[in-house]
Each structure stands twice: as C-alpha cells, then as structure tokens.
Amino acid sequence: MKKENVVDGVHNAPHRSLFHALGLTEEEQKRPLIGIVSSYNEIVPGHMNIDKIVDAVKIGVAMAGGTPIVFPAIAVCDGIAMGHTGMKYSLVTRDLIADSTEAMALAHGFDGLVMVPNCDKNVPGLLMAAARVNVPTVFVSGGPMLAGRVEGKKTSLSSMFEAVGAYNAGKIDDEKLLEYECKTCPTCGSCSGMYTANSMNCLTEALGMGLKGNGTIPAVYSARIELAKHAGMAVMELVRKNICPRDIMTKEALMNALTVDMALGCSTNSMLHLPAIAHECDVELNLDIANEISAKTPNLCHLAPAGRTYMEDLNEAGGVYAVMNELTKKNLLYTDCMTVTGKTVGENIAGCVNLNPDIIRPVENPYSETGGIAVLKGNLAPEGSVVKRSAVLPEMLVHEGPAKVFDSEEEAQAAINSGEIVSGDVVVIRYEGPKGGPGMREMLNPTSAIMGMGLGNSVALITDGRFSGATRGACIGHVTPEAASGGMIGIVEDGDIISINIPENTIELKVEKSVIEERMKSFVPKQKELSGYLKRYASLVSGGASGAILN
C-alpha cells in the first residue's frame, strides 16, 4: 500500500491535516487512495465527455471501498492541430503526459490509478506512465465518435479532409463542402475510424490494460458509463491482489498488442507508441519484430480510412475480443497473459464470437494473409519506414516514379494545391522527423489532398514525418534516419527515381552508388532556430524507428 507513505503513523499527521483540508474524512483516509487521471478538456471532441466518465469511475471506486481523487492530464486535438505549427506539439505531448502523471502519482502516494484518456498521444503517454509508476492501474477511455452521414453514406474525419481536396480540384462546390463540414463529426468522442486514438484504445484492450469494450463502445452510449463504473471497481480488485502494470504489460502482452494491431489494420502511429511503451516496460520491440508478426497475422478488418466500416460497426460485431478470438484459431496470441480483469486473455475472450463476418473477416477469409502494417527498408530507409498496407490501393503496392522534393509540409501542400504533382510522382517531404520538425508532424493535409484530387491510384508520398491514422494511400512515413540526422532522404533530388515495393518490404533510391556517396560527402543537414520545449525535445529525441523516445 502506497498511502502508508502519506497517511499512516504519527509522522504523517501533517499530511493528514492537508487531507482534512481537502474535506477527506478519517474513514476516507483509511481506504486505498485511487488517483483518477482525467484528460477532460473543452477543446478536444474526444475529451468533452470525460467529466462524465470520471464521475462514473469515482462511483465505481467508492462502491468497491476506495477513495477516488482526481488529477488532470493534458491532451492535444490532432485534427485541430493539423496543418500548422500546432502539429509540432502533438507527439511531444506524449512525454509531457507521461512525465507529469508520473510526478503526480508518485508525489501523492496513490495505491492505484484509473487512467481516463481518449485521443492520440494521451493514451500511449498514460500507458508509459502506468509502466513507470507500476501501481495497480486500469484504463477506461472516453470512447469513439459515431460516424457522420452525408448522402446516406457514413463519413469520418478523413472524409472531411478529402472533401477539401475534392473542392480544390473542382469536384464539389461550396454547398457540398459545407454539408461535409456540418455532418462529418456528429458527436463527441475520438474520431470514428481506425485512427490513432481508436487504434491505441483498442490495443489497450489487447495489452490487457482495459476492460472489454474500452476501444469500441461509442462515447455517447450509456454502456460507456457502466464500463467506467466497472473500471473503478476493477482497480480496487487489482489493489487487493497487488496486480500491477508490469505484471500485465509483459513481452508476450506486447506481442499480443502488435498482433491485434496487424489484424485490425491500426494507425501507423502504433509503430511509434508500442515501442515507446515497451521501452518503459524494459522490453525491446523493434520494427523487425513488427514485420515478423505481420508476415503471419491475417488482416481481418478494413475500418475507415481503409474501408467503409466504423468503430460503431466493430463494436456491434463483437469488438476487440471477437477479433482476438478469431486470431486464437491460428494460435497467434499468448492466451495465458494476465489482464486487469484478474483473469487471463484466454479466459476473457472465451465465447466472444464474431457476430458479423463482413466487419470482422474470419481467419479463413481475411482481407490479406499478412498484417495491416508493413515496415519497408532499403538504402533510403536503412533503419526502417512504415506504411499502412491495408489502406493502400492494390495498384500502388508496387510503384516507381520520379521524386518531387520538399523541405516542409507547407511547401508540399502548396505544390499539390497548385497542380504541380502529376500521375506517377513520388512526393518527398523531409525535415519533418522527430528531430527535424521537430515533433514529427502528421501529413494528413497533403495525403488527403492527393486522394481528394483523384491521384491516390498513381502518386506515392514518403516522409521522415508521420501520418494520421486517417491517412490512406501509398504513404510511407517514419523514414529513418531522418534528414535532420543526416539520413539519405536529405540528399534526394527532384527527378531521382524512387522504387517502392510494399509486398517485398523495400524502398530504394535508384541512383548510382557513386553519385549517392558524392552527395553524402557534401551533405550538411539544415538546422532550424528553436526555443522552449521544442528545443529541448529535439536535443533528446531518438529516431522514428525506435519510437521517438527521449534519451
């Protein structure tokens, strides 16, 4: 019990006086102190309902004999931050969240924690903190948004970004753009496709750190409130049994998460977050392992942006546990891993059948025999790069074309909007990596513009930055080493031929070796004037291939 450090004994009388100042009775002080980490705010749609989730968690904790105490965590809305300098502050918040939560939890002697995240960096940041603090912890997210509807068809945020590309190409008018704007995001919650937030909330279930439905029950369903109460009760059982995050987030559990990642077709950002979480658990998880798992894991789901199904559909089909149950038919999961239910993975998923084979393909009839994410290597990315294979059109799985090179997202976006990008091109965006951006911005604007303009079946994009989970197409990110660290992406010139072969996991700059050597001799990476947190972050961050962790 951690509260003995701040409550028990004569020497802690001053501490108890401060608990009395909070209005906590002697009875409350004698119970386990449960910190509830609330990421509620009024700027992120995925977080505007979290106050209600937190209230339900508090009830659950109290019902089970604990004393709930709330403290905050920050969260950035990637959608609102997209396309401007704000996106430099997205990935970097993952470490701020982990650091500040560690500080709050350990400074105040909590016996257990309930993490209430929802959006992109909030979930992995709190999982990293959970591993560091290592007191009994349960996760319950704010839940996904319901899909929008335009002309009777379901839509999500990626539809909105692509609508802008269609508008710029003259394919839709002002009235239709406004209709998308008003109908695409109809409720609170994390955006309705298998984007980064929903990917990480689903993988929290696969890791064993969240209860059934954590990733899929829609934010506006009353079942989400019930789930939160059960999370509050569950943490009290973990406290009694002293089951901690590192008992749950073992190497085998992380392998399970990576396997479910491949089956679901999650965001490429999971290839940043899972290695970072593993690092906090003292487990090595590299990109080579990802390809090994992808090679034997069938892709069972095509949720938006890869297909026309959404989180609400996955929930109705049986959710993450149904996907996991399908995977056990090929013995692809470690079923004896402990979870926050106090039961093993195998016990949790027993009887969780696939209720809709159109949403969750049976293992006998997958979308592909290999996973939804692929890691590409070659002279252009010797340490690796990442693509969401399940969201690439078949005709773009193999592509070769001339480079159009840009040293920032803004330059590339301007070229795409002005019609400079044509069929066959390979758009190269560099100096947007963890160190060079800094902050490894997502490239949803340029990728959506390419798709919206009808170039998705003929144009590829590569970058040392990263992509939103809403991105689809032949978009290869996380190129490592990045340009700012002297990577070969920094010497690519307009017109150079780049070859991409996703089935073979390769990416090559087809320039004579002697020419490459000569260019590398004279290559001096560009430096940006930085200040504040971004300057500190850039000086400490590792490459994308290792999870952009801080050294």
Side-chain angles (χ1 to χ4, degrees):
M1 301 290 277
K2 300 296 182 183
K3 75 177 179 64
E4 64 189 23
N5 296 325
V6 294
V7 174
D8 298 346
V10 172
H11 65 289
N12 279 329
H15 302 70
R16 291 196 296 274
S17 72
L18 294 170
F19 280 113
H20 282 295
L22 292 169
L24 294 180
T25 66
E26 289 183 24
E27 292 83 358
E28 287 174 301
Q29 293 179 46
K30 289 177 181 177
R31 296 174 178 177
L33 303 180
I34 306 300
I36 303 175
V37 187
S38 170
S39 60
Y40 168 77
N41 64 49
E42 294 183 341
I43 187 63
V44 184
H47 291 238
M48 62 179 287
N49 66 317
I50 280 178
D51 56 340
K52 296 175 179 60
I53 304 299
V54 167
D55 287 345
V57 172
K58 290 171 69 177
I59 291 170
V61 169
M63 286 170 63
T67 298
I69 302 174
V70 179
F71 65 89
I74 63 169
V76 164
C77 178
D78 278 26
I80 295 173
M82 195 71 65
H84 59 95
T85 192
M87 182 47 70
K88 294 178 186 287
Y89 287 91
S90 171
L91 180 60
V92 305
T93 64
R94 186 186 70 184
D95 296 277
L96 283 175
I97 291 162
D99 292 348
S100 60
T101 302
E102 173 194 357
M104 287 293 290
L106 293 179
H108 298 108
F110 290 108
D111 297 299
L113 298 169
V114 180
M115 307 291 198
V116 191
N118 212 25
C119 290
D120 296 28
K121 312 311 165 302
N122 198 241
V123 184
L126 290 179
L127 283 165
M128 290 162 67
R132 290 185 200 172
V133 177
N134 204 37
V135 298
T137 303
V138 177
F139 277 67
V140 56
S141 76
M145 185 183 291
L146 294 178
R149 282 173 173 76
V150 175
E151 296 179 340
K153 295 180 180 178
K154 290 183 178 180
T155 60
S156 60
L157 187 64
S158 53
S159 314
M160 185 67 249
F161 277 89
E162 290 179 20
V164 174
Y167 177 84
N168 288 334
K171 294 186 175 184
I172 63 173
D173 58 16
D174 292 278
E175 185 177 352
K176 181 57 65 177
L177 183 66
L178 180 62
E179 184 180 1
Y180 271 98
E181 183 180 327
C182 295
K183 294 181 177 179
T184 293
C185 299
T187 71
C188 63
S190 48
C191 298
S192 57
M194 187 55 80
Y195 308 153
T196 306
N198 292 326
S199 294
M200 294 309 302
N201 283 324
C202 287
L203 296 184
T204 299
E205 279 190 64
L207 271 173
M209 290 297 293
L211 300 177
K212 180 185 178 184
N214 178 70
T216 59
I217 296 173
V220 295
Y221 282 14
S222 297
R224 174 75 40 190
I225 301 296
E226 294 180 37
L227 181 71
K229 291 176 182 176
H230 284 129
M233 290 184 264
V235 77
M236 291 302 299
E237 192 61 26
L238 294 181
V239 169
R240 293 184 186 102
K241 294 179 178 179
N242 194 32
I243 298 173
C244 297
R246 290 198 182 199
D247 300 322
I248 294 171
M249 291 193 286
T250 61
K251 181 178 181 179
E252 291 75 18
L254 285 154
M255 294 298 106
N256 281 349
L258 194 50
T259 300
V260 174
D261 187 341
M262 298 300 172
L264 285 173
C266 290
S267 164
T268 52
N269 280 316
S270 63
M271 292 296 98
L272 288 173
H273 301 323
L274 286 177
I277 295 161
H279 176 75
E280 299 293 347
C281 298
D282 292 329
V283 174
E284 183 182 356
L285 187 67
N286 58 42
L287 295 187
D288 292 329
I289 295 172
N291 263 358
E292 290 173 19
I293 289 180
S294 182
K296 62 183 180 181
T297 305
N299 177 224
L300 305 182
C301 298
H302 266 193
L303 285 87
R308 295 191 176 276
T309 54
Y310 297 81
M311 296 305 297
E312 61 201 66
D313 302 313
L314 179 60
N315 188 62
E316 294 301 318
V320 175
Y321 277 18
V323 174
M324 294 174 74
N325 208 9
E326 285 289 338
L327 293 172
T328 60
K329 296 175 183 177
K330 283 196 166 187
N331 297 315
L332 292 173
L333 297 178
Y334 296 94
T335 55
D336 58 350
C337 292
M338 179 52 60
T339 72
V340 293
T341 66
K343 299 178 181 178
T344 65
V345 166
E347 290 173 315
N348 285 344
I349 66 176
C352 295
V353 298
N354 180 0
L355 301 175
N356 189 336
D358 292 328
I359 306 300
I360 303 171
R361 289 276 187 95
V363 290
E364 302 83 9
N365 181 35
Y367 283 101
S368 68
E369 294 292 342
T370 53
I373 290 176
V375 175
L376 313 185
K377 288 189 174 183
N379 66 355
L380 197 52
E383 294 177 21
S385 60
V386 180
V387 62
K388 189 170 185 175
R389 173 166 42 196
S390 60
V392 178
L393 292 170
E395 58 267 38
M396 289 300 292
L397 289 170
V398 178
H399 180 76
E400 186 171 293
K404 293 276 181 71
V405 184
F406 306 95
D407 286 347
S408 71
E409 177 188 0
E410 288 83 357
E411 292 174 28
Q413 187 68 44
I416 295 167
N417 290 345
S418 64
E420 294 177 36
I421 306 304
V422 298
S423 179
D425 283 346
V426 178
V427 177
V428 178
I429 305 177
R430 61 195 180 193
Y431 293 103
E432 292 286 8
K435 197 176 289 288
M440 205 178 187
R441 286 196 289 179
E442 291 183 343
M443 304 289 165
L444 183 56
N445 276 347
T447 60
S448 297
I450 287 169
M451 296 302 294
M453 296 171 79
L455 295 170
N457 62 352
S458 61
V459 170
L461 189 152
I462 70 170
T463 179
D464 51 12
R466 61 193 178 94
F467 298 113
S468 164
T471 289
R472 63 189 179 106
C475 303
I476 296 97
H478 307 199
V479 170
T480 312
E482 61 178 290
S485 295
M488 210 161 84
I489 191 173
I491 63 156
V492 179
E493 297 181 359
D494 284 340
D496 288 347
I497 301 300
I498 294 175
S499 175
I500 299 163
N501 190 319
I502 296 173
E504 296 294 328
N505 299 320
T506 61
I507 181 168
E508 293 285 335
L509 178 63
K510 301 190 77 173
V511 173
E512 291 290 335
K513 186 176 180 182
S514 59
V515 174
I516 290 173
E517 290 173 350
E518 195 61 33
R519 289 185 193 175
M520 289 298 288
K521 283 181 186 176
S522 59
F523 175 43
V524 179
K526 294 183 177 180
Q527 302 294 323
K528 295 179 180 177
E529 290 292 327
L530 300 173
S531 63
Y533 181 52
L534 291 182
K535 183 175 182 178
R536 281 183 283 133
Y537 183 87
S539 70
L540 296 172
V541 71
S542 71
S546 58
I549 60 174
L550 297 187
N551 294 313

